[in-house]
Amino acid sequence: MNILVVGSGGREHSLAWKLSQSPRQPNIYCAPGNAGTAQLGDNVDIAANDIDGLLAFAKKAQIDLTVVGPEVALCAGIADRFREEGLMVFGPSKAAAALEGDKAYCKDVMKRHSIPTAGHRTFRSLAPAIAFAEDTVDYPLVVKASGLAAGKGVIICANAKEAKEALVEIMGDRRFGSAGETVVIEDFLEGEEVSVLALTDGKTILVLESSQDHKRAFDGDKGPNTGGMGAYSPAPVLTPELQAQVEKEVLVPIVHAMKQERRPFNGVLFAGLMIGKKGPRVLEFNVRFGDPECQALMMRWQGDLATALERCAQGRLDEVQVEWDPRPAVTVVVAQEGYPGPVSSGQVIAGLDALAKLPDLMVFHAGTRQSGGEVVAAGGRVLNVTALGDDFAQAAERAYAAVDALDFPKSFVRRDIAHRVL
């Protein structure tokens, strides 16, 4: 079996790692991959958004299954192109991927189909958005770029001044490019966040174990939003009763809604939820594995991921069962100084070989590349140190001990990953 993993981050390394453990002994290719994926198979120098290049490679290499990591490729229609050419791909169509690629559309779908979420208004020009921000008294509010902004296009505003600044930044200055052509202004929801991911082939829904991300850059949930500074799984806030409610009120309705919208969903559906006094509400839907939630989930996944994703792509998800390691997993993201702003490239990272020998621990590479036989930093989020433990305290202790054993001076981590359960 030949498997192509599209992407270059920690999510893709963790997927490639788990896929490589399939009893079907697959050949793993990653495009473009990183220094970690290079240890599992062959890296292919094709960008994740180069659909023509990926398609040509998949045909030449006789790829049996393509697993798409990043949302950019999915929203650009990679799954459609592969399916048109008769190639099997795990990931939703471009039309279905609009759940993540177009937040205004996503909110409209939830409103039409009575899926619980925050109240919102959508604006396509700056002046009326500012007028709304100045007139309303219901602060805090959340201002979101409607398009893809790598997890950074969400700004919580405490007053009208902050809302106006956010709107000018997104719509006027175009900080996030075309993603800011439309904005969604929505009510601020209070409570605790949880990530619920499910595989679905449009008919069957297989809910995965819960997890929780840490979006802010610094301890105590301070600093700017990032792509994620750490995660843990499971998230105790999602009790069995709440999970049943989420399945009934969120997951089943959104899968049915996408059928009715003539955009059937096949792939992994990610519901970012706020658990508050009024029960679970949807903050956002994503159309791919979360990063870094995926790393914690793959550490706990037991069984043949390759066959599970293949069956999902074939519309045979009802044949799949998943077992989970009962132990919790904690993932700590090691980032370069300056992240989520601009960072340098080329700093050597030492100490990885020793960590590779430790049990119940994986260092998933994110922004890395190989240079002259050494692993060097090549991005903002560089490594994802993931550990299992008998409890959350032990898992976190193992992860942070591994972080401290690295020789990577110009880096930083949050020291409070999993603080809500610790």
Side-chain angles (χ1 to χ4, degrees):
M1 187 181 195
N2 296 325
I3 300 178
L4 172 62
V5 178
V6 176
S8 62
R11 165 182 51 213
E12 288 76 30
H13 185 191
S14 69
L15 289 169
W17 172 72
K18 186 54 67 175
L19 288 163
S20 72
Q21 296 169 20
S22 169
R24 298 164 74 176
Q25 299 181 317
N27 300 308
I28 303 292
Y29 300 88
C30 294
N34 56 40
T37 60
Q39 298 170 19
L40 299 170
D42 295 328
N43 282 351
V44 184
D45 189 17
I46 305 173
N49 60 355
D50 181 0
I51 296 175
D52 290 337
L54 293 167
L55 188 58
F57 172 78
K59 288 180 176 180
K60 180 180 177 183
Q62 298 182 308
I63 297 296
D64 299 299
L65 174 66
T66 297
V67 178
V68 184
E71 63 274 21
V72 173
L74 292 166
C75 291
I78 185 173
D80 307 76
R81 290 286 304 284
F82 272 59
R83 290 185 182 117
E84 286 165 6
E85 296 291 333
L87 296 174
M88 193 183 307
V89 59
F90 176 79
S93 66
K94 180 178 181 178
L99 272 181
E100 179 169 1
D102 186 346
K103 291 181 179 62
Y105 168 75
C106 182
K107 296 293 285 193
D108 289 346
V109 170
M110 286 191 278
K111 185 176 181 180
R112 281 197 295 274
H113 296 273
S114 302
I115 295 169
T117 187
H120 78 288
R121 291 280 300 272
T122 297
F123 296 92
R124 290 179 171 81
S125 56
L126 182 58
I130 289 176
F132 174 81
E134 291 176 337
D135 288 345
T136 188
V137 293
D138 294 325
Y139 282 92
L141 285 175
V142 183
V143 177
K144 295 181 176 181
S146 184
L148 297 177
K152 300 165 193 166
V154 178
I155 303 173
I156 299 169
C157 306
N159 51 52
K161 178 176 179 292
E162 290 184 7
K164 182 178 178 181
E165 289 171 352
L167 289 164
V168 169
E169 187 178 6
I170 294 172
M171 300 190 86
D173 301 338
R174 292 293 171 93
R175 177 184 169 191
F176 305 109
S178 61
E181 289 177 359
T182 300
V183 298
V184 174
I185 301 178
E186 64 181 42
D187 297 338
F188 177 79
L189 297 179
E190 293 192 46
E192 187 171 343
E193 289 189 41
V194 65
S195 301
V196 179
L197 282 72
L199 304 185
T200 180
D201 59 6
K203 302 172 293 184
T204 301
I205 300 172
L206 179 62
V207 183
L208 308 185
E209 286 280 271
S210 62
S211 55
Q212 190 175 83
D213 185 16
H214 297 63
K215 280 288 185 194
R216 297 296 189 102
F218 308 125
D219 288 13
D221 294 319
K222 302 285 196 271
N225 267 337
T226 71
M229 291 300 296
Y232 63 90
S233 173
V237 66
L238 193 76
T239 62
E241 295 76 19
L242 277 173
Q243 176 164 321
Q245 187 179 353
V246 168
E247 291 179 28
K248 179 182 177 183
E249 297 179 5
V250 175
L251 296 176
V252 170
I254 192 63
V255 171
H256 281 306
M258 295 307 283
K259 275 187 194 173
Q260 292 178 14
E261 299 271 326
R262 302 184 188 277
R263 304 182 187 212
F265 195 100
N266 186 311
V268 61
L269 187 62
F270 173 137
L273 305 169
M274 183 68 79
I275 309 297
K277 293 177 182 177
K278 296 182 180 180
R281 303 266 188 101
V282 178
L283 294 170
E284 63 180 359
F285 282 114
N286 293 327
V287 300
R288 37 70 189 182
F289 285 101
D291 187 345
E293 293 99 331
C294 184
Q295 291 83 307
L297 290 174
M298 290 303 108
M299 201 71 179
R300 298 184 59 221
W301 181 295
Q302 294 182 326
D304 186 353
L305 179 67
T307 297
L309 301 188
E310 179 187 61
R311 293 289 182 271
C312 185
Q314 292 170 332
R316 299 164 58 192
L317 188 61
D318 59 335
E319 301 173 15
V320 174
Q321 289 186 321
V322 181
E323 299 293 329
W324 297 92
D325 192 315
R327 295 174 295 171
V330 172
T331 295
V332 178
V333 172
V334 184
Q336 287 208 75
E337 286 180 0
Y339 179 77
V343 297
S344 58
S345 182
Q347 184 184 175
V348 174
I349 305 162
L352 291 166
D353 290 343
L355 296 183
K357 299 171 185 174
L358 297 178
D360 297 326
L361 181 100
M362 272 298 298
V363 179
F364 296 116
H365 291 235
T368 66
R369 59 180 171 84
Q370 293 175 310
S371 177
E374 294 179 309
V375 175
V376 301
R381 293 188 296 173
V382 182
L383 301 169
N384 308 147
V385 180
T386 306
L388 292 167
D390 292 334
D391 53 30
F392 284 104
Q394 186 183 63
E397 182 182 350
R398 284 178 176 168
Y400 282 113
V403 166
D404 293 337
L406 289 167
D407 183 5
F408 185 19
K410 293 183 179 179
S411 64
F412 75 98
V413 298
R414 276 187 59 162
R415 289 280 168 182
D416 64 346
I417 303 302
H419 66 88
R420 288 185 182 87
V421 291
L422 293 173

